[in-house]
């Protein structure tokens, strides 16, 4: 059975709101034609196949006659609509911490093929997204919606309008450029290879008034468990569970893990590739998730954390953590104290 990417159902609710509020269109027949129930999801965890969301976006664009419908839809986003990720977002101590959670929990929002990274530069942070597989990537309208939803979510916890320094988009300038400039509140360069938002460092590091590290710790755990539950039988989940047990020993090579899972290294790599991952991807994400938890707990020294994660020394751990989060372990650990 081929893997079908899914999206959190609340994203479809944003579109129904936009159809009513922006265009005065009854969304019921559009949702019925797309095969998606209208109204609040039966559960905050409910998901819809990406293929149905594509149909829904196509029908909504045709009904509205607006190529920029995705940009307008994202402005209706509110954190509480996005299950555990939304509550972790609201409890973040800084916007930088919130963006780090976006990267960590993106699969809670959508399992579409997207690689999101956050890079620290001299005077800014760069949030980039790459879509490696077109067939498993969100449609253009979904990407547009995600960009304006990101700004709406930032506004909600900063309690002010957040403006990027600049934005780079992969689409050509011939696609309603004025709508993009107005919606994204920044100078835009079109036709680049990688879409990127550049944010001022001071803005992202400013303490947020309602940051709540204790609450974030709880909701982070719920988000982690939910992502794992999306398919506990996936090979990546099996590898992750085994790595958690093996990391303190430092024995995390692919050959050993493959043997423990009763398959060859080449078979394991092929199975992970079918899930859109590599062995290194799973190892890195497992280490990162555990590292953030250990640092928030503040029960272990950085040297102890390096050992628990299977690093040969603290400096290797520090370099890896800086690569994952664009922050040093010390900077990450000090974020909650700023409140």
């Amino acid at each position: 059975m081929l893997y079908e990417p899914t999206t959190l159902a609340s994203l479809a609710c944003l579109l129904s709101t936009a159809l009513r509020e922006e265009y005065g269109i009854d969304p019921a027949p559009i949702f019925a034609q797309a095969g998606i129930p209208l109204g609040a999801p039966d559960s905050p965890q409910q998901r819809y196949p990406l293929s149905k969301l594509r149909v829904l976006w196509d029908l909504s664009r045709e009904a509205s006659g607006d190529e920029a419908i995705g940009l307008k839809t994202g402005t209706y986003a509110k954190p509480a609509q996005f299950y555990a990720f939304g509550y972790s977002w609201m409890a973040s101590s800084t916007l930088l911490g919130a963006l780090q959670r976006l990267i960590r929990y993106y699969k809670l929002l959508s399992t579409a093929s997207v690689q999101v990274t956050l890079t620290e530069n001299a005077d800014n942070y760069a949030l980039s997204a790459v879509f490696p597989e077109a067939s498993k990537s969100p449609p253009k309208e979904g990407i547009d919606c995600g960009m304006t939803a990101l700004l709406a979510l930032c506004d909600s916890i900063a309690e002010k309008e957040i403006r990027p320094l600049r934005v780079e988009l992969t689409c050509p300038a011939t696609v309603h450029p004025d709508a993009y400039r107005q919606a994204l509140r920044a100078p835009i360069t079109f036709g680049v290879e990688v879409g990127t938002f550049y944010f001022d460092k001071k803005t992202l590091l400013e303490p947020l008034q309602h940051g709540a590290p204790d609450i974030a710790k709880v909701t982070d755990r719920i988000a982690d468990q939910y992502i794992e539950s999306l398919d506990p039988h996936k090979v990546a989940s099996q590898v992750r569970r085994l790595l958690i047990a093996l990391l303190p020993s430092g024995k995390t090579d692919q050959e050993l893990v493959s043997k423990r899972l009763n398959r060859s290294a080449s078979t394991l790599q092929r199975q992970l590739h079918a899930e859109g991952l590599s062995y290194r991807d799973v190892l890195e994400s497992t280490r990162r998730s555990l590292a953030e938890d250990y640092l928030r707990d503040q029960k272990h020294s950085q040297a102890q954390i390096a050992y628990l994660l299977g690093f040969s020394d603290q400096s290797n751990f520090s370099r890896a953590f800086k690569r994952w989060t664009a922050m040093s372990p010390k900077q990450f650990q000090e974020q909650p104290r700023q409140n």
Side-chain angles (χ1 to χ4, degrees):
M1 182 177 179
L2 294 176
Y3 167 62
E4 169 81 78
T6 61
T7 297
L8 202 64
S10 55
L11 294 171
C13 295
L14 292 180
L15 185 49
S16 68
T17 301
L19 287 169
R20 288 193 184 99
E21 300 296 327
E22 293 287 336
Y23 309 102
I25 295 174
D26 179 6
I30 296 174
F31 274 63
Q33 189 174 348
I36 293 179
L38 182 63
D42 295 333
S43 161
Q45 304 175 25
Q46 188 170 345
R47 308 181 71 82
Y48 298 135
L50 182 62
S51 56
K52 288 191 175 184
L53 265 296
R54 288 181 184 277
V55 174
L56 184 63
W57 278 116
D58 287 342
L59 294 172
S60 299
R61 184 186 64 250
E62 293 171 6
S64 66
D66 187 0
E67 293 289 330
I69 186 173
L71 295 174
K72 294 177 181 176
T73 298
T75 63
Y76 290 93
K78 295 179 175 59
Q81 296 168 313
F82 302 111
Y83 186 47
F85 163 74
Y87 292 101
S88 284
W89 179 277
M90 286 190 285
S92 297
S93 298
T94 62
L95 282 173
L96 179 60
L99 293 180
Q100 290 167 342
R101 286 187 166 89
L102 172 64
I103 295 171
R104 179 174 175 178
Y105 300 128
Y106 183 83
K107 286 190 179 299
L108 185 153
L109 303 175
S110 176
T111 59
S113 179
V114 183
Q115 296 173 357
V116 187
T117 59
L118 184 65
T119 305
E120 181 183 13
N121 299 313
D123 61 348
N124 63 63
Y125 282 98
L127 182 70
S128 302
V130 176
F131 304 91
E133 295 182 70
S135 63
K136 294 182 179 179
S137 297
K140 171 189 169 297
E141 294 81 8
I143 296 172
D144 288 351
C145 175
M147 291 191 293
T148 50
L150 170 65
L151 295 180
L153 295 180
C154 286
D155 292 352
S156 69
I157 57 174
E159 299 183 301
K160 62 182 178 182
E161 187 176 79
I162 299 300
R163 290 179 172 269
L165 296 173
R166 65 183 188 279
V167 176
E168 296 175 348
L169 300 179
T170 57
C171 61
T174 53
V175 183
H176 41 271
D178 291 337
Y180 278 110
R181 292 189 184 98
Q182 181 178 355
L184 302 183
R185 316 165 184 171
I188 297 178
T189 301
F190 294 90
V192 301
E193 290 187 4
V194 178
T196 304
F197 277 64
Y198 293 90
F199 291 99
D200 175 63
K201 271 190 173 181
K202 182 180 178 181
T203 299
L204 294 197
L205 293 173
E206 182 179 348
L208 298 175
Q209 182 178 355
H210 301 295
D214 290 344
I215 294 175
K217 182 178 177 180
V218 174
T219 52
D220 284 349
R221 187 173 296 115
I222 295 171
D224 283 327
Q225 292 171 348
Y226 174 67
I227 290 175
E228 188 78 11
S229 74
L230 290 177
D231 190 347
H233 302 296
K234 277 189 176 181
V235 174
S237 297
Q238 297 175 37
V239 172
R240 190 172 291 111
R241 287 193 292 270
L242 181 55
L243 282 172
I244 290 172
L246 291 175
L247 278 170
S249 71
K251 298 177 181 178
T252 58
D253 61 280
Q254 188 172 341
E255 289 288 343
L256 174 62
V257 171
S258 302
K259 186 176 180 180
R260 291 286 187 93
L261 294 175
N262 299 312
R263 65 201 76 189
S264 68
S266 59
T267 297
L268 177 62
Q269 189 62 36
R270 185 172 63 254
Q271 291 173 331
L272 288 173
H273 180 72
E275 296 177 7
L277 296 165
S278 67
Y279 179 77
R280 180 179 175 82
D281 291 336
V282 181
L283 176 59
E284 292 270 285
S285 66
T286 303
R287 277 176 158 166
R288 173 181 176 163
S289 178
L290 290 173
E292 292 182 358
D293 287 343
Y294 289 144
L295 288 169
R296 288 194 185 99
D297 282 342
Q298 300 189 13
K299 294 179 180 178
H300 303 286
S301 67
Q302 289 186 32
Q304 290 172 323
I305 294 173
Y307 165 76
L308 290 170
L309 298 180
F311 287 97
S312 58
D313 55 49
Q314 184 177 334
S315 61
N316 282 332
F317 163 60
S318 296
R319 282 194 294 271
F321 194 83
K322 184 73 177 286
R323 185 177 71 251
W324 297 331
T325 66
M327 301 177 73
S328 69
K330 182 179 180 182
Q331 289 172 320
F332 182 88
Q333 208 164 31
E334 288 177 345
Q335 281 189 108
R337 297 176 190 172
Q338 294 173 349
N339 284 316

